[in-house]
Amino acid sequence: MEFEKRKKATLATMVSPEPDKSPKGDIDTPIIPLLKTLNSHPSYFTTSSCSGRISILSTPTTTTTTIKKKAKGGNWVFITHELANPNSVQNLIFPPITESTQFDNQENLVFRFEPLIIAVECRDVISAQKLVSLAISCGFRESGITNVNSKRVIVAIRCSIRLEVPLGDTHNIMVSKEYLNYLVLIANEKMEANRKRTDSFHDALLKSELFIVPPENGTAKGDLEIFNLDQDLGDKDCIMINGGVEDIQLTREVKDNKRLLEVPGLSLPIRPMVITAEPVEKLYLWGHSACTLETTDNVKKLLVFGGFGGMGRHARRKDLWVLDSVSGRLELVDVGSTPSARLGHAACLVEDLMFVIGGRADPKNVLNDVWVLSTTNFEWKQVQCNGIDFPQSHRHAAASIGSYIYVFGGIHNGSISSTMYRLDTRNLKWEELRVRGQNPSPRHSHTIVAVGSQLFTFGGYDGVKALDDLYSFDVLSCTWKKENMAGSTPYARFSHTMFVYKNYICVMGGCPIRQHYQELSVFQVGSSMWMRIKLDSIGEDLFVRCTTSIVGDDVIIVGGGASCYAFGTKFSEPMRINMLPLLKFFDEIEDQTNGHDEKGLTDGFDLISEGKYGKKMVPLVWVLRVDKKHAKPAKDILKKFGWLDVERKVYTQENRIYICFPITKEFVAIYQNKTPGLTEAADKVNEFDSKENLKVISSTRGLDLLVAFGARAHSDDFIKVRKTASSPLKVMKEAIASLLKDHNLPSTLLEQLPTRWERLGDIFVLPMTCFKDSAWDSLGNKLWLAVAESLGASRLARQGRISSNGTRDSGLEILVGDNGWVDHRENGVLYSFDATKCMFSWGNLSEKRRMGQLDCKDEVVVDLFAGIGYFTLPFLVKANAKMVYACEWNPHAIEALKRNLEVNGVADRCVVLEGDNRTTAPKEVADRVNLGLLPSSEDSWATAVRALRSKGGMLHVHGNVKDTEEDLWTEQVSNSIKDISRSEGYNWDVTIQHVERVKWYAPHIRHLVVDIRCKQIES
């Protein structure tokens, strides 16, 4: 009711003859139709608006306030909501000599263009999210929910095509007439772009489902789709994730008579990969590509290219990384000519070549080029393709079958596409396929995978909503088919990832982001049933625009992340999921070797098309059946060219007459058309010499020989399923349940078991909320030993509250183990500390690295809050500081600090000063002072100034700051340092050199570091 009252009151003021509160006094004429459309919807009404304006603003020169977007404290001397007349602007700024100046006072003049902005109050968060999504898709990419509380939900519709140029002041214009004309020209172009974008948004509103009135009794039968349409489509490659909506149902559950395939008790553990040789932050990416490369030594490596992120300033990348999936070693491939930096491209591996197609180099530069990387010598080459022109495209999806790469969907020349393109990698020819069947709708940010001679695509974004459909595409008949989906179907999503494991298609992650995306949706090829499996992760991983690669029974996840208003930029570390536990939930097929007739050989095939050669039967998993007498050379050929699937077992059929070799889907695609006549096959066998050197034959000769041997590809019905180990959580539940039963304790206590835990060195740390019931006390040490054993832990601890005293002692409680001392290596620095006595902040990793990257070889540094050496050690070990004075008053931290100085070999360059730094810190010795205390180090700012040399130096001041007050805080720090330096008798020029946003400390509270340069002013 309150919403309707506010809407009624607001709309009444809009039609009132009285002027409104805006400087103009009424609504801008160009957007009246758009506002009427918005206000006609029962879930929206506009509270303020501007259609876009070109203006000149004057402000008094005496003010020190930075000019804001509003005209507070100034006056409009020129303003128009239409295209500006250059002559009118010229005459205003450069009046004819015969006319007297119209400016009496000296004031600053700023020429500005500001685009459309509309504030809309929404009935609820769901309505707001739909409107934001639509606005972003029409180019208003800075749109978002600006206010959410129990009373009001406000959306701002806006974009970034602004212009602001100072002209000088009323007594001294600093630009020429020609330059002023140039500014008017640019502003008019922006106004025209703004108008087109506004019209597009209005048209999209009228056509969208938002303005289709639902039935009065609710949604139509079966239509339960309510989407959280948070976007990741902006120029900044970011998404907006609004808090407080995790419990919203995003899509429908399939509610029919079929059994829902939920998997209670099963979870797949996600474990971080240990990255060596290079910092793991090099893989902090999204929108990149990854391909699995099998090397000659049978070690599978990942080729990771492009994307957005990386160390330091996040940007689009063009680096090529090789990641060893076994050892975690990361190496940069240093090559000459490379593709331009990009994201949203596609990459496919065809034999020993990796093809990179399209992508976006920047918001205005979408690519259609094709680059090829030779994985034998790691040389890039841009290739010129023939056939049709492949469009400029990004956010498409691609998969390879044989020598062909299929590219579907994406954003082509600014429009969302549903076209299927095919690139023949042998002759580099593009063609647009003429498809038939049930065509998918246009989409981008979807996924596609290959299974046999079929492609499967899932999800994506169609410009209005996220999608939850699954389509298959038969590459032999070019036919689309919409797959029936039953069971626990995946939620609608885009920017997700999809992979094939055995004969299962798996979907995970994506947008909209919800807690239930910490799960895996699994579909068995050949059926219509889906299930969901929980992903047991230590942290809150963000699987958005990440990549997944299958290596044996492991899934390697690289990258993923987002930029959002809630917590800034977040990236996920490389992860590993072991898929073996999945197999135990399916029927185990015995390894049979005898007595199978031809009918048995067709089991497991899927009838997919009626084509030129009759019915096509496509196996789900393949083997190559060879006469026993040709088994040895056939196996050698398969192994030589990587066609043998080493993850499955070889078996025999028909009393060991035939040998069945498991083969890869890539081999199947190139072997299907190898059907020579009987005479030709006989000739090949006659030509074959068992002594022929298989090491030097070509792949073509190898294929011909396999055909000549009479080798037949058919479905592999007899996959031996390996026994799998239970997850640690399941083992823990079973062990604790047994303990409870033995001690006659209620099974309801199992609800207090932790579902996640952390690791600190070799200590497994349980959350402080678990095992809180006093009934657990009767189990004594048996409880903790059982938990430790289930986790495979030698030491076990439970987190406690941090002490509120000045030393902020840790509250960690050791449950199993002798002590709490742990070793932790970070950025090449070894930290050793007692986790029960000292805190360790994982979130300061980037700032410690930044300090370590400074060149301090001739500098003396004072660290006023040294702790265990968080920043002291990077200054000494990495930045090579000449001397560091380390101030600390926590005796436990001092003990660890001295130990760390010794083990890192830098004790001779550090003086540890025990006690309050306000009394112990040295004076006039430092070139640099670090103040790393949160939430504020203000009590020691004067101490820091006194520690600097008389000529000045650099201060690194840490603090927790409200996100809306960052500029205010940095100015306060700068001004305070100025005042302190003057009171100490210094004549310093104090300037802000840099502001580092380290992390989010709490909602809307950011950990900042401001670098303050103090420099002696020469007399």
Side-chain angles (χ1 to χ4, degrees):
M1 293 297 294
E2 292 299 321
F3 176 83
E4 283 79 6
K5 289 180 181 179
R6 290 194 297 274
K7 179 172 182 177
K8 183 177 180 180
T10 302
L11 296 185
T13 62
M14 292 177 65
V15 298
S16 171
E18 297 295 324
D20 59 34
K21 297 179 181 180
S22 67
K24 182 170 177 282
D26 57 13
I27 298 172
D28 298 340
T29 302
I31 58 169
I32 289 178
L34 172 59
L35 299 185
K36 285 184 176 179
T37 299
L38 283 168
N39 290 321
S40 69
H41 194 282
S43 295
Y44 307 115
F45 69 91
T46 58
T47 61
S48 64
S49 63
C50 175
S51 64
R53 62 193 175 200
I54 300 172
S55 64
I56 299 177
L57 178 69
S58 71
T59 58
T61 57
T62 55
T63 180
T64 59
T65 305
T66 303
I67 294 174
K68 303 293 182 182
K69 293 180 183 179
K70 295 182 180 179
K72 186 175 181 180
N75 297 293
W76 304 113
V77 297
F78 174 84
I79 187 168
T80 178
H81 297 273
E82 305 288 348
L83 298 179
N85 185 320
N87 293 330
S88 299
V89 178
Q90 285 278 6
N91 292 334
L92 177 67
I93 301 302
F94 299 102
I97 298 176
T98 57
E99 297 183 13
S100 59
T101 179
Q102 53 185 303
F103 303 111
D104 296 328
N105 301 320
Q106 185 175 3
E107 296 184 343
N108 293 318
L109 296 176
V110 180
F111 183 90
R112 302 166 63 161
F113 169 77
E114 297 162 281
L116 172 131
I117 182 169
I118 304 177
V120 184
E121 181 168 343
C122 308
R123 182 181 297 275
D124 49 40
V125 173
I126 300 300
S127 302
Q129 291 170 331
K130 290 184 177 183
L131 186 62
V132 167
S133 171
L134 190 63
I136 291 176
S137 70
C138 294
F140 292 97
R141 291 173 175 147
E142 289 192 355
S143 301
I145 301 176
T146 60
N147 183 72
V148 179
N149 56 41
S150 59
K151 294 183 178 180
R152 306 184 72 185
V153 180
I154 304 295
V155 160
I157 298 170
R158 56 198 175 193
C159 63
S160 60
I161 50 174
R162 301 180 179 89
L163 176 68
E164 184 168 321
V165 181
L167 302 178
D169 60 49
T170 52
H171 293 175
N172 186 19
I173 301 300
M174 303 300 293
V175 299
S176 66
K177 292 182 179 180
E178 292 77 15
Y179 187 72
L180 185 59
N181 274 341
Y182 175 65
L183 291 179
V184 174
L185 176 64
I186 293 176
N188 283 340
E189 290 176 351
K190 289 181 177 289
M191 180 66 85
E192 185 63 24
N194 177 70
R195 182 191 63 77
K196 291 181 179 179
R197 201 171 287 191
T198 302
D199 291 346
S200 172
F201 178 48
H202 190 196
D203 292 342
L205 274 175
L206 295 173
K207 296 175 183 177
S208 76
E209 61 181 13
L210 295 177
F211 285 76
I212 299 175
V213 180
E216 293 183 3
N217 61 347
T219 56
K221 182 178 180 181
D223 183 13
L224 302 178
E225 298 183 3
I226 305 175
F227 297 108
N228 172 3
L229 293 182
D230 295 333
Q231 279 286 357
D232 68 342
L233 311 180
D235 288 341
K236 298 178 181 178
D237 300 291
C238 66
I239 64 173
M240 292 179 294
I241 306 168
N242 297 300
V245 296
E246 286 80 1
D247 57 341
I248 296 171
Q249 179 65 41
L250 299 189
T251 186
R252 65 179 179 274
E253 290 283 351
V254 178
K255 292 181 172 62
D256 53 21
N257 294 326
K258 297 181 180 180
R259 178 172 58 94
L260 291 181
L261 285 182
E262 301 288 355
V263 187
L266 173 64
S267 63
L268 297 176
I270 306 179
R271 296 293 178 260
M273 287 186 66
V274 178
I275 303 300
T276 62
E278 293 279 355
V280 66
E281 290 79 14
K282 298 285 189 180
L283 294 180
Y284 282 5
L285 301 166
W286 70 64
H288 54 289
S289 62
C291 296
T292 304
L293 173 66
E294 293 194 32
T295 59
T296 55
D297 53 2
N298 204 32
V299 175
K300 292 191 176 181
K301 297 183 178 181
L302 270 57
L303 296 176
V304 181
F305 171 72
F308 177 86
M311 286 188 66
R313 181 179 176 83
H314 299 147
R316 293 170 180 84
R317 301 291 178 180
K318 60 178 181 179
D319 300 326
L320 176 66
W321 297 98
V322 177
L323 174 62
D324 190 314
S325 63
V326 178
S327 68
R329 181 176 178 82
L330 180 66
E331 296 180 80
L332 177 66
V333 179
D334 188 11
V335 293
S337 177
T338 64
S340 60
R342 66 189 67 199
L343 78 163
H345 55 282
C348 292
L349 199 63
V350 178
E351 295 183 349
D352 59 352
L353 301 176
M354 184 176 77
F355 289 77
V356 172
I357 301 171
R360 191 174 71 172
D362 59 62
K364 295 183 179 180
N365 185 15
V366 179
L367 308 168
N368 65 347
D369 53 356
V370 178
W371 285 77
V372 180
L373 174 76
S374 170
T375 61
T376 57
N377 58 12
F378 287 104
E379 289 186 359
W380 283 105
K381 180 181 179 182
Q382 184 176 7
V383 296
Q384 300 301 320
C385 299
N386 51 55
I388 68 163
D389 291 332
F390 182 73
Q392 294 173 320
S393 176
H394 66 112
R395 291 178 176 270
H396 44 268
S400 62
I401 296 181
S403 59
Y404 293 105
I405 296 176
Y406 297 83
V407 182
F408 170 65
I411 303 176
H412 295 176
N413 301 318
S415 300
I416 302 176
S417 171
S418 61
T419 305
M420 176 70 82
Y421 293 91
R422 183 171 70 182
L423 174 64
D424 188 336
T425 61
R426 295 168 300 185
N427 56 22
L428 298 176
K429 182 178 180 180
W430 278 112
E431 61 178 315
E432 179 181 338
L433 297 184
R434 299 180 62 182
V435 301
R436 55 182 178 172
Q438 300 167 296
N439 293 7
S441 61
R443 64 193 62 205
H444 66 80
S445 305
H446 52 294
T447 48
I448 195 166
V449 295
V451 180
S453 62
Q454 283 185 295
L455 301 172
F456 288 85
T457 184
F458 174 79
Y461 188 77
D462 66 0
V464 176
K465 62 182 182 298
L467 304 173
D468 62 350
D469 46 14
L470 177 71
Y471 285 84
S472 62
F473 181 76
D474 174 25
V475 301
L476 302 177
S477 62
C478 292
T479 302
W480 281 108
K481 175 188 175 184
K482 186 172 184 179
E483 296 290 330
N484 294 324
M485 297 171 65
S488 296
T489 58
Y491 297 99
R493 65 189 76 192
F494 57 93
S495 294
H496 53 285
T497 184
M498 182 162 69
F499 59 90
V500 179
Y501 172 69
K502 305 299 184 186
N503 62 328
Y504 303 105
I505 294 176
C506 305
V507 174
M508 65 182 287
C511 292
I513 294 173
R514 287 185 35 153
Q515 288 181 344
H516 66 237
Y517 279 5
Q518 295 287 320
E519 67 184 20
L520 190 69
S521 293
V522 180
F523 169 75
Q524 186 172 12
V525 179
S527 75
S528 62
M529 301 303 293
W530 286 86
M531 72 180 85
R532 299 192 196 124
I533 298 172
K534 180 182 177 182
L535 296 176
D536 183 13
S537 174
I538 293 176
E540 292 296 329
D541 303 305
L542 199 56
F543 300 126
V544 178
R545 302 188 76 179
C546 63
T547 58
T548 46
S549 305
I550 294 292
V551 179
D553 291 304
D554 285 348
V555 179
I556 306 300
I557 308 169
V558 174
S563 290
C564 72
Y565 297 149
F567 53 71
T569 301
K570 174 180 172 61
F571 292 94
S572 293
E573 293 190 3
M575 299 283 178
R576 184 191 303 271
I577 304 176
N578 184 265
M579 297 294 290
L580 279 175
L582 175 68
L583 297 181
K584 68 179 298 184
F585 285 87
F586 296 91
D587 295 333
E588 181 176 349
I589 303 174
E590 295 294 334
D591 185 2
Q592 303 181 23
T593 60
N594 299 310
H596 294 282
D597 56 20
E598 288 301 312
K599 181 180 182 301
L601 296 179
T602 63
D603 292 342
F605 281 73
D606 192 12
L607 181 61
I608 62 168
S609 67
E610 181 80 32
K612 176 180 177 182
Y613 300 103
K615 292 183 179 180
K616 303 292 183 182
M617 308 293 289
V618 178
L620 308 178
V621 187
W622 298 74
V623 293
L624 191 71
R625 194 172 82 154
V626 186
D627 190 290
K628 185 177 180 180
K629 63 183 178 181
H630 299 309
K632 179 62 169 66
K635 180 180 179 181
D636 290 342
I637 292 171
L638 293 174
K639 288 183 67 176
K640 171 178 172 58
F641 298 106
W643 298 332
L644 184 68
D645 185 352
V646 297
E647 304 300 330
R648 291 182 282 137
K649 291 184 178 181
V650 178
Y651 58 88
T652 63
Q653 284 185 336
E654 297 186 18
N655 294 318
R656 302 182 182 275
I657 295 175
Y658 297 105
I659 309 296
C660 294
F661 294 105
I663 50 178
T664 65
K665 62 181 182 181
E666 291 81 4
F667 172 76
V668 174
I670 61 177
Y671 191 71
Q672 284 176 328
N673 298 325
K674 285 287 182 179
T675 54
L678 293 176
T679 303
E680 182 181 350
D683 291 340
K684 293 290 183 183
V685 173
N686 293 334
E687 291 172 8
F688 176 68
D689 180 354
S690 60
K691 296 182 180 179
E692 182 175 356
N693 188 353
L694 293 177
K695 293 183 179 181
V696 297
I697 68 170
S698 66
S699 59
T700 302
R701 170 67 172 161
L703 290 171
D704 290 340
L705 287 174
L706 291 173
V707 173
F709 296 155
R712 290 184 52 204
H714 64 77
S715 66
D716 183 4
D717 294 340
F718 311 110
I719 306 171
K720 185 68 175 177
V721 181
R722 279 172 272 190
K723 297 292 184 180
T724 61
S726 298
S727 69
L729 181 58
K730 184 176 181 181
V731 174
M732 185 193 302
K733 284 183 177 179
E734 293 173 351
I736 304 304
S738 177
L739 269 179
L740 295 177
K741 183 177 180 180
D742 293 343
H743 291 75
N744 296 317
L745 292 174
S747 60
T748 54
L749 288 174
L750 291 174
E751 297 174 2
Q752 297 183 21
L753 264 61
T755 57
R756 58 182 63 226
W757 41 86
E758 297 177 351
R759 288 194 64 172
L760 198 59
D762 66 339
I763 301 178
F764 283 69
V765 182
L766 305 177
M768 62 188 302
T769 54
C770 65
F771 301 110
K772 293 307 253 182
D773 195 297
S774 58
W776 292 108
D777 298 340
S778 63
L779 297 179
N781 200 40
K782 293 180 182 178
L783 171 64
W784 309 125
L785 290 174
V787 173
E789 184 177 357
S790 64
L791 297 177
S794 59
R795 290 195 289 176
L796 185 70
R798 182 166 55 184
Q799 193 61 267
R801 296 190 182 279
I802 302 171
S803 64
S804 57
N805 58 15
T807 58
R808 289 175 57 82
D809 293 337
S810 169
L812 196 76
E813 175 191 5
I814 294 294
L815 304 172
V816 176
D818 296 332
N819 59 67
W821 279 92
V822 294
D823 293 330
H824 171 69
R825 184 172 293 277
E826 184 179 274
N827 295 329
V829 177
L830 180 62
Y831 295 92
S832 181
F833 58 98
D834 187 343
T836 65
K837 304 290 179 59
C838 302
M839 293 300 301
F840 188 86
S841 175
W842 304 93
N844 296 339
L845 174 66
S846 62
E847 181 62 10
K848 284 180 276 189
R849 182 186 303 109
R850 188 172 77 98
M851 292 298 100
Q853 290 172 344
L854 299 173
D855 183 5
C856 301
K857 63 181 179 181
D858 296 319
E859 292 185 354
V860 174
V861 179
V862 172
D863 189 353
L864 291 180
F865 305 95
I868 66 171
Y870 307 112
F871 295 101
T872 296
L873 293 172
F875 278 128
L876 291 165
V877 177
K878 308 299 288 186
N880 298 312
K882 182 169 65 174
M883 177 63 68
V884 175
Y885 292 91
C887 303
E888 180 55 45
W889 67 2
N890 183 338
H892 305 299
I894 291 170
E895 180 185 3
L897 173 60
K898 292 180 177 179
R899 181 171 174 171
N900 291 330
L901 292 170
E902 291 291 342
V903 297
N904 284 281
V906 292
D908 59 327
R909 290 187 284 126
C910 182
V911 176
V912 178
L913 302 172
E914 302 181 25
D916 190 330
N917 61 41
R918 288 169 292 189
T919 59
T920 64
K923 298 179 181 179
E924 297 189 4
V925 299
D927 301 289
R928 189 180 302 272
V929 179
N930 191 62
L931 298 96
L933 179 66
L934 297 178
S936 174
S937 59
E938 187 170 2
D939 288 345
S940 294
W941 289 355
T943 304
V945 169
R946 297 186 192 108
L948 287 177
R949 298 180 188 273
S950 59
K951 65 179 181 180
M954 181 70 76
L955 302 177
H956 304 288
V957 184
H958 293 236
N960 284 345
V961 185
K962 192 174 181 180
D963 54 4
T964 58
E965 299 175 355
E966 291 183 13
D967 292 341
L968 183 64
W969 179 78
T970 54
E971 285 297 323
Q972 177 206 345
V973 175
S974 177
N975 292 334
S976 295
I977 298 300
K978 288 179 185 177
D979 294 341
I980 294 170
S981 65
R982 288 171 187 159
S983 68
E984 294 293 325
Y986 296 124
N987 184 24
W988 286 349
D989 178 28
V990 178
T991 57
I992 298 172
Q993 296 289 294
H994 174 73
V995 178
E996 182 74 11
R997 293 172 174 85
V998 180
K999 65 179 184 294
W1000 287 101
Y1001 187 86
H1004 300 291
I1005 302 295
R1006 198 193 291 269
H1007 175 186
L1008 297 185
V1009 180
V1010 59
D1011 298 344
I1012 303 288
R1013 168 70 69 184
C1014 302
K1015 186 176 181 181
Q1016 179 71 36
I1017 299 176
E1018 299 296 334
S1019 301

